[in-house]
Structures are given as structure tokens and as C-alpha cells.
Amino acid sequence: MDIQELDISKVINPALVNLELQATTKLEVINELTDLLVKTGAVVDRDAFIADVLYREEEGKTGLGEGVAIPHGKSVSVSNTSIAVGRTKEPVEWESLDDKPVNIIILFAVKNSDATTTHIKLLQKVAILLADDEVIGQFQTVQTKEDFIKLLAKNQV
């Protein structure tokens, strides 16, 4: 599958977006976003998935800078690869490339069988998007879940 063929709308929907996260810590953010994944059936074992995400967090920084983090968990607890997105009211401390806190978190839940292909393509696609300062600015101000998803799906063919 070519990266152009990967349709972000297949891995995210409005039920996986929360633009008003209550979290004030990294763990709270991961918990809140995981709850969205559990509610939609994308994650079948909440605690095991969170443990996998935290394990990955120990391996390296997932804060990209500019207030954005992309934590991810490859896990047997994931029934279908999905993305949950959240925006916090106040910036949250996170290990990031610019050493600044984040308030936009894109959590990847990756099914083990998708770990090498789909996972990498999703990360690539989001990373390309996040290289655009204008897009990051729009993530900060977008008002609806649907508009956030449209922004994530930007430049889709």
C-alpha cells in the first residue's frame, strides 16, 4: 500500500476526537485517549494497551515540538488500528524535541499485524502534516471534531 493510498479517515472518526481533554498530566492524557479507543472497540484491553504505550514512551521522545506529541502503542490489545486525538486546555509536560509542553496529542493504537506497514505509513503521513506550521496553528484553533479530522486528512488524494 502506497502512503498516498492510506486514508486517515479509516483510522479516525469523531468518536476518537476530544478537543477538551481534562487531563493535566501525560498519564491522564494517555488514559483519556485510551478510553475513547476502548469505547469504539479499537482497544480491547485498556490496561495492557496503556502499558504498551508507556513502554514505547520510555524508548524515546514522542513530543515533536510546537505543542504536539504522537505517542503510540503496538499491542495485541488493539483490535483495529486507529488514531485518537486530543487537545488539552492547558499545556501538559511531555518529553519533546523542543523541551516544551504539549497540548495536542495524537495517540496511535496499532494492531500487531499492522506494526510494520500501516503503522509506519500513518506516522509518515501525520509527520508530513505536522511539518507544516500553518497546519499546527489550525490544530490549535479548530473548533469541531469533524474539522480536526478534515485537517488530519489534508492532502489526501
Side-chain angles (χ1 to χ4, degrees):
M1 179 190 340
D2 187 281
I3 187 170
Q4 263 63 42
E5 295 171 19
L6 184 67
D7 185 354
I8 294 252
S9 67
K10 294 204 182 351
V11 294
I12 188 168
N13 63 59
L16 291 169
V17 179
N18 182 346
L19 300 179
E20 297 179 1
L21 289 174
Q22 301 302 306
T24 58
T25 69
K26 178 181 184 172
L27 184 56
E28 288 174 359
V29 167
I30 292 169
N31 280 322
E32 269 190 80
L33 292 177
T34 298
D35 287 343
L36 298 177
L37 292 160
V38 170
K39 276 183 201 158
T40 61
V43 168
V44 293
D45 184 335
R46 180 184 188 279
D47 294 338
F49 176 71
I50 289 171
D52 289 334
V53 172
L54 294 176
Y55 175 78
R56 169 58 188 87
E57 283 296 305
E58 290 174 15
E59 290 182 348
K61 296 177 179 181
T62 57
L64 300 179
E66 304 296 324
V68 178
I70 55 165
H72 40 286
K74 289 180 262 191
S75 178
V76 294
S77 305
V78 177
S79 60
N80 37 308
T81 296
S82 300
I83 299 174
V85 178
R87 185 170 65 198
T88 59
K89 294 176 193 226
E90 297 297 322
V92 174
E93 286 303 314
W94 207 284
E95 296 77 22
S96 61
L97 298 176
D98 63 2
D99 293 319
K100 293 183 179 162
V102 304
N103 75 317
I104 294 171
I105 302 89
I106 302 169
L107 175 61
F108 293 79
V110 181
K111 196 168 142 179
N112 269 350
S113 60
D114 291 340
T116 51
T117 54
T118 307
H119 173 233
I120 301 301
K121 289 183 168 107
L122 276 174
L123 282 174
Q124 274 183 309
K125 201 145 199 165
V126 172
I128 290 166
L129 204 56
L130 295 175
D132 184 338
D133 289 342
E134 185 181 315
V135 171
I136 291 176
Q138 290 172 321
F139 278 145
Q140 298 289 356
T141 58
V142 72
Q143 296 298 309
T144 69
K145 295 176 177 192
E146 292 75 17
D147 286 345
F148 204 102
I149 292 169
K150 278 185 201 156
L151 194 53
L152 258 183
K154 188 178 176 190
N155 302 326
Q156 301 260 56
V157 189

